[in-house]
Each structure stands twice: as C-alpha cells, then as structure tokens.
Amino acid sequence: MEPSSNTLASSSSSSSSSPPPPPTPPRRMASSDTSMGFGERAIAAAGAAVVSAVIVNPLDVAKTRLQAQAAGVLYNSIWPDFRCYPSCSPTGVHGSGPTCSPDCFQYKGTIDVFYKVIRQEGFARLWRGTNASLVLAVPTVGIYLPSYDILRNWIEDFTNQHSPALTPYAPLAAGSIARTLACISCSPIELARTRMQAFKESHPGAKAPGIWKTLLGVLSPRKSANHLENLQGYRLLWTGMGAQLARDVPFSAICWLTLEPIRRRLLGLIGEEDNVAGVIGANFSAGFAAGVVAAGATCPLDVAKTRRQIEKDPARILNMNTRRVLLEVWRNEGMKGLFTGVGPRVGRAGPSVGIVVSFYEALKHILHKRHANS
C-alpha cells in the first residue's frame, strides 16, 4: 500500500523542520576509560613512570649538566686535586700526572656529557638522581595521568552537552589542571633531583648524597633560632616551583592538545578493543610526536627552572623569578642560551612521553580486561 500525499507532505515537513544532528563527540579511548577507578589508574600510571624514569634518566642528566654549565657551574673547580686520565694527556697517569686542562671538564654536547661522565665518574653516574626520579615520577604520574583522564572525560561530557565547539580543547584544560596539581604536590622532590643531577661530589669516590640530605642542604643556610624564620625557610623547598609550573603547564597543554587527535586517529585506523600491541603502538607514536613538539617549545622555561633550582645563594633564590631569569639569559647569552640542552631535552621527552602514555594505556587495558573477566 503506497503512502498518501498527505503522509508524504507531513513527513517531509517534519524532517525539514527537525534540528540538525549534534556534532559527533570525540572518540573515547576504550570502555575502560570511564569504568576504571582512580586507584587502578594510579597503579597503571606508577608502573609506566618507573619504566620511563629508568630508561631516559641519562638524557636527563645530560640536559641538566649542559644547563648548569651554561649557568656558570664550573665542573673543573669541584675536584681541585683531580688528575688527568691517560686519554686527556699523553703523559698523564690518573693520580700522578699533570692536572687536567679546562677542556676535560667542558661539556660540548650530549654525547660529550655521556663520554666524560663515564670516564670521570663512572657509568653508574648516568643514572644519578634515578632514585629521586622514581620517587618523583611515581607520585607525580600517579596523580597526573589519572587526574587528566578523569578531568578530560568530565570536561568532554560537559562541553558536549553545553558547548560542543569547546570539546576539542578539553585535553588542553584537563592537562593544565592535572599538571598543576602534580607539580605543587611534588616540587621539593623535583628540586632534589635537579640538584643531584647538576652537581658532582666534592671528593672522588665519595658517596653521593640522597634526596633527604640534598633537601637538608637546601635548608641548612637558613637555619635560625627564630621558629618563624625557620618556617619561612621551608619556602626554599619549593624553589623554582613557579618556573616549574611555567614550564610544565604549557608543556602539558601543548602535549595533550597534540597527542589526543593523533592517537584517536591511529586507534580509529587499527582498532583497539582486543589488541594490546595496537594500543601500545598508537599511544607510543602519538606520545613521541607530542613530547618532541612540547619539549622544544618549552625549552627556555626549562632553562629558567634549572637555573633557579641550582642557585645556592638563599637571598638570591628568594628574589629570583622566571621572568628575571629569562631576561638575564637573553641579555647575556641570546637565543642559544635560552635553548641550552634542547637536544637532550627533546631526545628525552619524545620517548619518555611515548613510554609513559603507551604503558599506561596498555596497563589500563589489561587491568580492565582482568577486572571484567573476574
């Protein structure tokens, strides 16, 4: 039976007056992305952080040494009685030959840092600060990634209902807020890690100070009989936090704004529900690209953070800020000074973000499947 002309007209009229369909919301990573609790996300993030911290720590040491040297740290003055290795002088013998030339303690680049640290301090020194990196990475990433996930999901749901045009910017907002929370919580550990990586020991073979001793060394110049002054002195433990926020919040915003569209496109192409290898590959590729872009863009802010955290004069520390440091570097060293250490920073950030994000998403995937099967 054919529909009448009135029926056709009615349906045509109703279809023409119906509102256009709402825009398609961004594709979620997986069903696990909304069903997992904060605790499970934190466990996945902590596992990813441990793997990343161990693998990329040598690049972090190289970056910090180059930036500290540019700030005026003289590595040849730290070991006054140090003697040349045979490789430095044809006639010198370690402990008995002529003292090293200044070139032996001048770092010329990332590979040169690796070579000289291994020759002068031992292979293990490339992992100096790894304990601080692990102590820092586990709580930082454990707060950062789960907070980002939950905030991003909430902001996307909210904007899809009230302002769909703002939905693509959900990663930017979520990443900025989550990174701020993580930085404030873990800033003293970041301070200890930077100092541990920047400075050598005063005596060859001496045991390197740990996190606790390093932080006590920060506070000791400010010790006073006045209890109020001592409380104010604890501000030094958050030295460089402003520079760290100025570096990490834009880094996080740029990183997630770059990463999310890439990995969603890749996951859409390869599928993700039952393919752990696909989850790792897509997230590592997207994370690597996003880390390189964000690290390069924020390198001057990283230089400012390092210079503030290696400063040893308490009076100067309390009067420093990121803007002053950047202007000082620009006046004295120009653009080259602002991008000191950009090579190892970019070389570290790409694989670091790729490893953390890919392992995090893979562990989330595995935990979710195990929970669903049980």
Side-chain angles (χ1 to χ4, degrees):
M1 179 178 177
E2 293 185 357
S4 66
S5 60
N6 288 340
T7 304
L8 288 171
S10 173
S11 65
S12 174
S13 173
S14 62
S15 64
S16 64
S17 62
S18 62
T24 305
R27 190 172 182 272
R28 285 273 169 84
M29 296 301 104
S31 58
S32 64
D33 209 50
T34 54
S35 61
M36 288 181 67
F38 189 93
E40 289 175 303
R41 295 175 195 268
I43 292 171
V50 169
V51 174
S52 175
V54 172
I55 291 174
V56 303
N57 197 78
L59 285 166
D60 211 28
V61 170
K63 178 213 67 163
T64 305
R65 289 282 178 104
L66 288 169
Q67 291 180 348
Q69 178 179 267
V73 174
L74 301 176
Y75 287 103
N76 61 331
S77 67
I78 296 178
W79 288 357
D81 298 325
F82 189 81
R83 301 292 178 179
C84 281
Y85 287 97
S87 61
C88 293
S89 171
T91 60
V93 178
H94 180 56
S96 62
T99 57
C100 285
S101 69
D103 285 347
C104 289
F105 294 95
Q106 284 292 315
Y107 299 130
K108 299 180 178 70
T110 305
I111 301 301
D112 195 46
V113 174
F114 290 159
Y115 175 75
K116 287 176 178 171
V117 167
I118 291 170
R119 295 287 298 182
Q120 296 170 0
E121 303 172 58
F123 187 75
R125 279 291 188 257
L126 290 176
W127 277 267
R128 176 81 197 277
T130 301
N131 57 343
S133 293
L134 291 172
V135 172
L136 174 69
V138 171
T140 299
V141 180
I143 294 168
Y144 175 44
L145 288 182
S147 298
Y148 168 76
D149 264 355
I150 292 168
L151 285 166
R152 184 202 61 216
N153 291 340
W154 182 82
I155 293 171
E156 284 181 350
D157 289 341
F158 181 84
T159 54
N160 281 334
Q161 294 176 15
H162 298 93
S163 184
L166 296 177
T167 302
Y169 301 101
L172 185 152
S176 299
I177 297 169
R179 194 66 195 178
T180 299
L181 294 173
C183 284
I184 293 172
S185 302
C186 302
S187 185
I189 306 172
E190 170 69 19
L191 172 65
R193 182 182 68 130
T194 301
R195 286 184 170 238
M196 289 169 70
Q197 290 176 341
F199 299 119
K200 293 181 179 180
E201 276 53 74
S202 56
H203 302 287
K207 185 179 178 182
I211 300 171
W212 183 246
K213 274 193 173 182
T214 301
L215 292 177
L216 287 177
V218 174
L219 293 174
S220 58
R222 291 280 298 182
K223 281 187 177 178
S224 166
N226 188 313
H227 184 64
L228 182 59
E229 284 185 11
N230 283 333
L231 288 176
Q232 291 174 343
Y234 283 103
R235 289 171 50 200
L236 295 174
L237 294 179
W238 276 263
T239 296
M241 188 184 72
Q244 187 181 353
L245 287 171
R247 178 200 68 174
D248 285 1
V249 172
F251 177 93
S252 185
I254 295 168
C255 184
W256 290 113
L257 201 59
T258 307
L259 187 150
E260 289 288 3
I262 297 174
R263 76 168 170 183
R264 283 173 173 168
R265 179 71 61 85
L266 292 174
L267 288 171
L269 291 173
I270 65 176
E272 59 172 309
E273 290 301 325
D274 296 307
N275 187 358
V276 176
V279 172
I280 292 175
N283 281 280
F284 181 83
S285 300
F288 190 97
V292 166
V293 172
T298 58
C299 187
L301 298 168
D302 186 54
V303 170
K305 180 200 77 80
T306 299
R307 295 209 177 189
R308 291 187 66 183
Q309 291 188 326
I310 64 174
E311 178 60 53
K312 289 192 169 184
D313 181 355
R316 183 170 159 78
I317 287 172
L318 294 174
N319 290 323
M320 292 174 81
N321 61 47
T322 302
R323 179 176 170 275
R324 284 180 187 171
V325 173
L326 289 174
L327 287 173
E328 183 179 300
V329 174
W330 172 258
R331 282 196 303 266
N332 297 334
E333 302 165 51
M335 187 66 71
K336 183 180 179 181
L338 291 174
F339 284 88
T340 300
V342 68
R345 174 166 165 77
V346 167
R348 175 193 181 279
S352 178
V353 175
I355 290 167
V356 168
V357 174
S358 58
F359 271 75
Y360 174 62
E361 293 295 336
L363 288 171
K364 273 173 54 182
H365 183 87
I366 293 167
L367 287 171
H368 171 70
K369 292 197 76 173
R370 182 173 295 180
H371 180 71
N373 291 336
S374 63

